[in-house]
Amino acid sequence: MIWNKEAECMSKEEKEELQLKLLKKVVKRAYENVPYYKNRFDKLNIKPEDIQTLDDIEKLPFTTKTDLRDAYPFGMFAVPEEEIIEVHTSSGTTGKPTVSGYTQKDLEIWGEVMGRALSMAGASKKDKIQNCYGYGLFTGGLGVHYGTQTIGATVIPISAGNTQRQIEIIQDFKTSIITCTPSYALYLAEVLEKNGVDIKDLNLKAGVFGAEMWTEEMRKAIEDRLGLSALNIYGLTEIIGPGVAQECEQKNGLHIFEDHFYPEIIDPKTQQKLGEGEKGELVLTTLTRDGMPILRFRTKDITALRKEKCDCGRTQVRMDRITGRTDDMLKIRGVIVFPSQIEKALLKIKGLNPQYQIIVTRPEHLDELEVQVEASPALFSDEVKHIEEVKKMIESYIHSEIGLRVNVSLVEPESLPRSEGKAVRVIDKRNFD
C-alpha cells in the first residue's frame, strides 16, 4: 500500500528538481535565521547563492551532535520560540540532550512521513495499531501516534512497559500492528509463550520495529515467535524522529522519504562522499523542517544507499539495514567489532534465547571479550557435558563472524536484564585514562 504515490513514486528528474528547489530554500533559511549556521558559513566564506546544484551540498559544513548540544536548549531554532508548539529531546546519556523543536507545519510533515511508513506495513483505516514506544520527550511514541492518526487507523497509545497489560490488550483489542523496539518484541514473545498463548489466536499481521540495531536473524526469530511480518523503521530525534525511512514488504532496504530528507554517504575518516552501494556514514539534511532546519547532520550510522527502483513501485532511494555506528564499534585487540555481528552469530544457534550481553574488560594489557548468553530452560537443565559443547559451538560461530576468540558464558533463562526501550547490549569496563 502506497500512502502518497505522487511523492513516493516520482521520476528521478522530478525528484532531483524538487530536492534542489527545497535545498536552496532550506540553506537560505538556515543562514538567515540560525546564528550557528550564519557563523559557520561566514567563516568558510559560503553564501546560500553558492548552492546551484545538488552536488553543491558538499560545500556546506557538517552538523554534529556536539554542535547541537552546544546550542542547548533552543539555539538551533529558526523561528521565534512562541511558534514552537512541541519539543523533544534525545536521551542525553552521554551529556546534555539534543533538543528538537516543532512548529505546526513540522508536526504535519511528521504525520505525513509516519503515515507513509505505517502504510508500508499494510496499515489502513481498518487497523488497530498498538503503540508500545515510549511517550514523552522520546520521539518514538508521538511519531507513531501522529502517523496513525494521519492515515485514520485506530491508535492504542499504551506506551512502553507493563508487559502483561500489553498482552491482554493484544488479545482483547485484536491488535493488528504493533510498534516497539525489536528487543522488546522478543520479550513480548517470551512472555506470550510463558503464558501459554498460541500466536495463531492473535490478530497480529505486522510489526514496525526500530530505535535500535537488529539483524536479519532477529527478524526471523520475531516473525517465527509472533507470527507477523517484521519491518524496520529508521529515524532520529535530530532530524524529526521516526519516519525518516521505512522498509516495505519487499524487505530489501528502507525507503528514505527524499522529498523531506536528503541523504549522503561519507567515509567517516576522510569525510569524502561515497558512491552508490559503498558502505559509510549516513549524513542527512532536512529539506522541509520549519522550526529547526538541519544541514548535513552526521548520524554516525553505518549503511549504504541503493537507487534502483524497488519492486513495490517506490522510486525513493533505499538504505541498507544499519550494521553499526561509528561510536558503538568496539576495537578489540586491533579488530573492529560491531555488536550486530555477535547477534548474527548467536541467532544461528537453536536452543538459545536471543538475549545476550557483551562485556569488555582489560585485566592486564590485552582486551578480553565475554559474551553472556541466555540458554533456553531445556538446555540449561541438560547435562554439563552438553552445555560445554554448546559453549564451544557459540565461541566457534562468533569466531567465524568477527575473527576473534571470545569467552562465552551460558547463563540462566531470564537472568539478563530486559528493556522496554533500547536494549543495553555492551558493557565496556576498560579504563582508557
Side-chain angles (χ1 to χ4, degrees), residues 247-277:
E247 203 171 35
C248 69
E249 281 292 342
Q250 297 296 318
K251 299 178 184 175
N252 190 25
L254 294 86
H255 294 272
I256 297 176
F257 301 122
E258 291 182 277
D259 52 327
H260 294 287
F261 316 107
Y262 187 82
E264 304 170 79
I265 299 291
I266 64 166
D267 182 312
K269 292 182 179 178
T270 67
Q271 300 182 10
Q272 295 301 304
K273 194 168 180 178
L274 299 177
E276 180 180 358

Side-chain angles (χ1 to χ4, degrees), residues 8 25 35 114 130 235 239 253 269 276 308 347 351 354 405:
E8 297 177 69
K25 188 175 178 181
M114 275 305 304
Q130 187 159 327
I239 298 301
K269 292 182 179 178
E276 180 180 358
E308 70 269 22
L347 286 165
R405 299 205 175 275

Side-chain angles (χ1 to χ4, degrees), residues 114-130:
M114 275 305 304
R116 296 181 195 178
L118 293 169
S119 295
M120 286 193 197
S124 71
K125 291 182 178 181
K126 297 178 181 179
D127 285 290
K128 296 183 180 71
I129 300 176
Q130 187 159 327

Side-chain angles (χ1 to χ4, degrees), residues 7 22 55 95 118 156 160 198-199 247-248 272 304 334 365 378 389 398:
L22 293 173
D55 288 337
L118 293 169
I156 304 172
D198 188 339
I199 59 172
E247 203 171 35
C248 69
Q272 295 301 304
H365 301 294
E389 289 173 354
I398 294 175

Side-chain angles (χ1 to χ4, degrees), residues 416-432:
L416 293 179
R418 301 309 196 250
S419 173
E420 296 164 356
K422 295 185 181 183
V424 179
R425 299 297 193 193
V426 180
I427 299 174
D428 195 337
K429 296 183 177 180
R430 293 174 294 180
N431 184 356
F432 293 103

